[in-house]
Amino acid sequence: MTNTVYHLHHIVPKHMGGSDEANNLVKLTIAEHAEAHRKLFEEHGHYQDKIAWKALSGQISGQEATRAIQSETMKN
């Protein structure tokens, strides 16, 4: 029997002004969480969602995600 791992996802991301309130959080599987960030990136174009999508879907490592965030932060 496999245990499903869940993440809490901010419906309105914190980088877009979302809060940690219960009504802004939803429990998703890792694959669902990655897909949610992909959709957010495609809709709004925020680098935070692109990095989250790529990290959650295994396209980049945690270390690569950290470097990408640091790089984007330095640009802005």
Side-chain angles (χ1 to χ4, degrees):
M1 183 170 123
T2 55
N3 292 326
T4 302
V5 176
Y6 291 95
H7 286 182
L8 285 178
H9 170 71
H10 291 85
I11 298 165
V12 176
K14 291 183 84 170
H15 66 82
M16 291 175 64
S19 72
D20 289 330
E21 298 295 320
N23 64 354
N24 190 44
L25 298 171
V26 62
K27 187 168 83 169
L28 301 175
T29 66
I30 295 171
E32 291 168 338
H33 198 182
E35 181 65 8
H37 280 286
R38 183 190 67 77
K39 287 180 178 179
L40 283 167
F41 174 66
E42 289 179 353
E43 184 175 343
H44 301 285
H46 295 283
Y47 74 86
Q48 296 94 328
D49 294 308
K50 181 178 182 181
I51 294 167
W53 157 45
K54 289 184 172 278
L56 288 164
S57 64
Q59 295 179 56
I60 61 173
S61 70
Q63 188 176 28
E64 290 170 311
T66 299
R67 279 195 298 259
I69 290 167
Q70 290 170 341
S71 175
E72 289 293 337
T73 301
M74 297 291 284
K75 289 180 189 177
N76 297 321

